[in-house]
Each structure stands twice: as C-alpha cells, then as structure tokens.
C-alpha cells in the first residue's frame, strides 16, 4: 500500500505486516477560496466527482487517513511550500510513529519504531528527535518529497477518472466502483496488492461525499482481501480548503542531523 510516493516506504512496510492537530471548525466555514456555487456542481455523477478534486491541486487543505492498521493526518500549504504528515501504523508485531515536516527545501523526519529501535544500531539516539535531512543528500529520498508527485495523498483525481460505475445516492453523496489497476499512486495501489487482487482490482467499491460547493470531503475505498492482507476500508477526509496554515519548523532543541540509516530507509 502507499500514499503517493512521499511515504511509500513507510506505508508499504506497515500494511503488509498486519491523519496535525484536529481541524479548526471555525476555519471550515471560511474556506471560500476558489469555491463554486452549489448550482455549478455538475449533474452527471462522474463529472461531479472529477470536478470535486480541483481544489486539491491548489495544495491548501488538511486531511486525515484511516485504515485497519494505520491512522494519519496532515496539512498541505503550497503557498508557503510547507507540509506536515503524521502517521501511526502497525500490527501485533510491529508499530511505527512517523512525523514528516517539509518546508522547502528542508525536510525533517521523526520516526519511532518501538521495540525495533533496539535492533537498529545507533537509532535509539534518534527516537525522540526530528532528523534534519541535507537537501543534496536527500535528493535520492524521493518518498519524502511531499510536492514532487502532486498534493493529493490519495490521488483521488486519478481514481475518479478510472470510474467504472457511479451513481448519486443522496445530496452530495455518491457510490460506485473504479478500476484500481489503472491508478498508479493511490493509497491502495501497491503493486503487490494489485497482483494479488487480479481482476477484482478492476471493480473496487467506493463511496464519496462532497460539500455544498462540490468539493471532495470524504472518500472511502473498500478493498477486498488479497494474499496476506485482509479486507479493509481506506478512508480519506479533506477539510479547510484554502484555509490551511503554514507549517512551522520543529524546535531547534529537538533537531539533529539525519543518520545514514534514515537516508537509506527512504530511498
């Protein structure tokens, strides 16, 4: 499994073993930037869903992600070229807490592998620290570049282009199926999973919700069991369109320079 390329190594490792502070409610009412009147929402269900992702391209929103063995939340603030994503992942034998902050060109990561830290030489010293990555050395760590592959963590636009069936089920509510095999950077488009799913990947059930202005606020994908991965839902929510806040650097006393193991982990 993966969430774009900026966290592929972290997510894939966790799901095979088994969203920032909560959104300010006062901000959601004021997020009118780039909005469209309700009457402008396309009547055709597919067109409405495709149009609902346009606000994500602006890179100014917050999001949450939840699956069977993973929860996360984050913010994208393209006006300041900053972003943050925190994840908590794991199963019975493995846990990981991950915090990524990017304020271009700088990146900081904090990783807690729980008991696994004891088996990685030198890593215990970094358990409670943000590791600062040198921009030149981190150029090969493409999975840590939030903005390189686009700003939507689930690549909802590609999913909606791959719809095989869709219907409107209520005001701002939709459901149907899409062809996951055609989506390259989705939260659920891991190569191994697609291989295990086979033809079933061509009809993955989903539900989606849009706000009154036609912007995507929730996407739930129901992925069937495949191989060692059990059936589960992947839920992504979006909020604070046009009203996210710039991410701040971690406190200086919590920062150390990244270890070689960290650069290797995210190549």
């Amino acid at each position: 499994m993966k969430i774009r390329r900026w966290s592929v190594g972290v997510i894939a490792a966790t799901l095979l073993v088994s969203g920032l502070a909560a959104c300010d409610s006062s901000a959601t009412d004021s997020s009118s930037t780039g909005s469209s009147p309700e009457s402008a929402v396309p009547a055709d269900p597919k067109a409405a869903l495709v149009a609902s992702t346009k606000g994500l391209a602006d890179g100014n929103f917050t999001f949450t992600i939840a699956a069977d063995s993973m929860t996360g939340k984050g913010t994208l603030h393209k006006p300041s070229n900053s972003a943050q994503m925190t994840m908590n992942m794991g199963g019975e034998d493995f846990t990981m807490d991950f915090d990524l902050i990017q304020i271009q060109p700088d990146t900081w990561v904090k990783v807690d592998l729980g008991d696994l830290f004891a088996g990685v030489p030198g890593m215990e010293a970094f358990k409670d620290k943000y590791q600062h990555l040198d921009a030149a050395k981190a150029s090969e760590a493409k999975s840590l570049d939030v903005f390189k592959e686009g700003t939507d963590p689930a690549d909802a636009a590609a999913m909606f282009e791959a719809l095989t069936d869709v219907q409107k089920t209520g005001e701002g509510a939709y459901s149907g199926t899409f062809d996951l095999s055609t989506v390259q950077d989705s939260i659920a488009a891991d190569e191994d999973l697609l291989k295990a799913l086979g033809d079933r990947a061509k009809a993955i059930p989903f539900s989606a919700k849009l706000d009154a202005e036609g912007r995507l606020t929730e996407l739930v994908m129901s992925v069937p069991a495949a191989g060692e991965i059990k059936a589960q839902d992947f839920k992504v929510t979006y909020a604070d369109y046009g009203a996210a806040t710039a991410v701040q650097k971690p406190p200086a006393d919590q920062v150390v320079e990244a270890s070689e193991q960290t650069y290797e982990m995210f190549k």
Side-chain angles (χ1 to χ4, degrees), residues 137-267:
K137 293 178 67 175
S139 61
E140 296 183 16
K142 296 179 175 61
S143 60
L144 294 178
D145 190 340
V146 172
F147 296 102
K148 186 175 182 61
E149 298 294 337
T151 55
D152 177 10
D155 201 8
M159 290 187 187
F160 293 150
E161 290 290 352
L163 290 172
T164 55
D165 176 60
V166 59
Q167 53 275 326
K168 186 174 183 179
T169 58
E171 191 61 38
Y174 301 81
S175 67
T177 57
F178 66 94
D179 185 352
L180 184 61
S181 67
T182 67
V183 184
Q184 298 300 313
D185 293 311
S186 160
I187 184 177
D190 177 72
E191 183 178 349
D192 292 336
L193 175 62
L194 291 176
K195 184 177 180 180
L197 284 172
D199 288 341
R200 291 180 297 166
K202 297 180 179 180
I204 299 297
F206 80 93
S207 64
K209 294 180 181 179
L210 313 186
D211 64 14
E213 297 176 19
R215 300 171 298 193
L216 182 65
T217 59
E218 179 182 292
L219 175 62
V220 180
M221 296 161 280
S222 298
V223 180
E228 297 180 358
I229 302 173
K230 65 181 182 180
Q232 56 186 297
D233 287 343
F234 293 85
K235 180 179 179 180
V236 186
T237 67
Y238 304 90
D240 298 324
Y241 283 100
T245 57
V247 175
Q248 302 300 308
K249 295 180 180 180
D253 62 356
Q254 296 181 24
V255 175
V256 296
E257 287 303 309
S259 67
E260 291 302 322
Q261 293 97 322
T262 300
Y263 287 104
E264 289 294 323
M265 183 186 303
F266 294 104
K267 278 187 177 180

Side-chain angles (χ1 to χ4, degrees), residues 2 15 48 68 71 74 137:
K2 53 188 174 183
L15 293 184
D68 182 65
T71 59
K137 293 178 67 175

Side-chain angles (χ1 to χ4, degrees), residues 33-186:
T33 303
S35 62
S36 302
E38 185 174 3
S39 59
V41 178
D44 176 73
K46 179 175 181 177
L49 290 177
V50 171
S52 74
T53 65
K54 292 180 179 178
L56 298 174
D58 294 333
N60 190 342
F61 59 88
T62 60
F63 65 90
T64 69
I65 297 172
D68 182 65
S69 58
M70 172 183 68
T71 59
K73 51 189 176 182
T75 189
L76 273 291
H77 193 256
K78 199 171 182 179
S80 63
N81 287 324
S82 67
Q84 183 170 17
M85 179 179 67
T86 61
M87 307 293 291
N88 177 267
M89 299 160 281
E92 295 180 1
D93 302 318
F94 175 80
T95 62
M96 175 185 287
D97 293 318
F98 175 78
D99 188 351
L100 179 148
I101 294 174
Q102 184 173 23
I103 304 174
Q104 291 183 328
D106 293 299
T107 302
W108 298 262
V109 294
K110 182 164 67 173
V111 182
D112 185 349
L113 296 174
D115 293 340
L116 291 182
F117 261 121
V120 182
M123 289 299 287
E124 184 67 30
F126 299 102
K127 184 174 182 179
D128 299 315
K129 299 291 186 179
Y130 284 93
Q131 298 184 59
H132 174 255
L133 284 85
D134 177 84
K137 293 178 67 175
S139 61
E140 296 183 16
K142 296 179 175 61
S143 60
L144 294 178
D145 190 340
V146 172
F147 296 102
K148 186 175 182 61
E149 298 294 337
T151 55
D152 177 10
D155 201 8
M159 290 187 187
F160 293 150
E161 290 290 352
L163 290 172
T164 55
D165 176 60
V166 59
Q167 53 275 326
K168 186 174 183 179
T169 58
E171 191 61 38
Y174 301 81
S175 67
T177 57
F178 66 94
D179 185 352
L180 184 61
S181 67
T182 67
V183 184
Q184 298 300 313
D185 293 311
S186 160

